[in-house]
Amino acid sequence: MPYRVHRRTEENRDSATLCLQPVHEPLPTPRPGEFMMMYAFGIGEIAISVSGVPEPGGEAIHHTIRSVGAVSRALHGTAPGGVIGMRGPFGTGWTLPDAIGDDVVIVAGGVGLAPLRPVVLAALADRDSYGRVTLIAGARSREDFLFAHELADWSRSGVIEVHMTVDVPIQGWPGEVGFVTEPLRRTPMRPDRTTAFLCGPEGMMHNSAVELLRKGLPANKIQVSLERNMQCGVGWCGHCQLGPLLLCRDGPVVGYDVAEALLSVKEL
């Protein structure tokens, strides 16, 4: 279905968020964690997770796209008024409603904050339903953070606890330096009353999950978003296979009780 770019927001030097509205009939509203297949006409199609929660009754879909290849570069550069092909939604989503009454820990690395932004927004919108909410976001440098203004607003509000950590500090950087596992290690946790959501490079998710397991969190209370080469979106082509999983159908969001054994096999 054709979707028109209503608004385009530069997030950093290589990422932009597109607010897309249907030209004709809208597709079903995606849930946080699900993805859409986005088509740049004449160039190709890629899978991109949603990065925003539509307002009640709204039809707009938000995607944050990092320019790393021919298709993502074309999508990333689409100006307001431009039209993109969309199909979906596909895959599994974050099960935030299952965490009601729990503390929530959200760990994001780099562009992994985009699929997790809807989790943060949903937790903020229903803040009284959750205990302590902690967001740990990591990036290469200060300039690489997505949603910098929102991160600052969330941090100032005090409604959730926000940790921002960078690999490469610069003069004047007020935040933390190092891997996301450092603030995660210091975060107080009630293992029987905590749900964790992780997205980013696989090494980051694995190391963060190991730290959570050390703290006593059960593996099935840790959710990760896995990525492979998704081409069809419906489990037909097999390109996104990870062991017994077809991630476009069985993922991208899976429990770490499922992902742990698969991520430990280098060949996968």
Side-chain angles (χ1 to χ4, degrees):
M1 298 293 290
Y3 272 67
R4 194 180 310 279
V5 177
H6 173 67
R7 184 173 63 254
R8 181 182 182 276
T9 304
E10 292 275 355
E11 301 292 352
N12 58 30
R13 57 192 168 191
D14 60 8
S15 300
T17 297
L18 304 182
C19 173
L20 298 141
Q21 294 185 333
V23 175
H24 305 299
E25 291 296 317
L27 292 167
T29 302
R31 296 182 299 128
E34 293 181 335
F35 67 92
M36 308 291 285
M37 298 299 296
M38 303 181 67
Y39 179 65
F41 291 102
I43 299 175
E45 185 183 48
I46 55 175
I48 302 288
S49 296
V50 295
S51 62
V53 178
E55 297 179 2
E59 298 173 339
I61 301 176
H62 295 80
H63 289 279
T64 301
I65 303 166
R66 183 182 177 199
S67 177
V68 293
V71 181
S72 61
R73 184 163 53 247
L75 294 170
H76 168 276
T78 305
V83 176
I84 288 170
M86 302 276 283
R87 61 186 178 96
F90 300 114
T92 56
W94 306 107
T95 59
L96 183 63
D98 293 346
I100 288 176
D102 280 3
D103 296 338
V104 174
V105 176
I106 303 164
V107 185
V111 76
L113 183 56
L116 283 170
R117 178 174 174 264
V119 176
V120 179
L121 295 176
L124 287 170
D126 192 17
R127 185 64 188 85
D128 292 340
S129 294
Y130 306 96
R132 180 177 181 172
V133 178
T134 303
L135 169 62
I136 301 171
R140 288 170 296 180
S141 68
R142 184 176 196 167
E143 290 75 21
D144 290 311
F145 280 104
L146 300 177
F147 321 121
H149 294 299
E150 285 184 312
L151 284 168
D153 289 343
W154 297 336
S155 181
R156 281 193 298 266
S157 73
V159 177
I160 65 174
E161 182 178 333
V162 178
H163 296 270
M164 297 172 63
T165 182
V166 298
D167 298 338
V168 182
I170 60 172
Q171 188 174 5
W173 167 245
E176 302 176 56
V177 177
F179 298 124
V180 293
T181 47
E182 294 303 317
L184 183 60
R185 189 172 295 119
R186 298 191 300 270
T187 300
M189 207 162 294
R190 301 181 298 171
D192 59 329
R193 294 287 303 276
T194 300
T195 300
F197 303 90
L198 316 179
C199 189
E202 284 187 3
M204 181 230 85
M205 291 192 291
H206 171 73
N207 292 333
S208 297
V210 168
E211 185 59 40
L212 290 165
L213 293 173
R214 286 187 184 131
K215 287 178 171 286
L217 201 67
N220 64 355
K221 297 279 279 187
I222 304 169
Q223 296 182 28
V224 297
S225 182
L226 302 177
E227 182 179 332
R228 287 297 185 274
N229 181 18
M230 300 177 189
Q231 293 192 8
C232 72
V234 291
W236 288 355
C237 72
H239 284 86
C240 66
Q241 184 175 6
L242 176 64
L245 305 181
L246 293 173
L247 290 179
C248 68
R249 181 192 66 197
D250 306 317
V253 177
V254 299
Y256 196 66
D257 54 329
V258 174
E260 182 177 15
L262 299 175
L263 294 182
S264 67
V265 180
K266 293 182 179 180
E267 289 78 7
L268 296 177

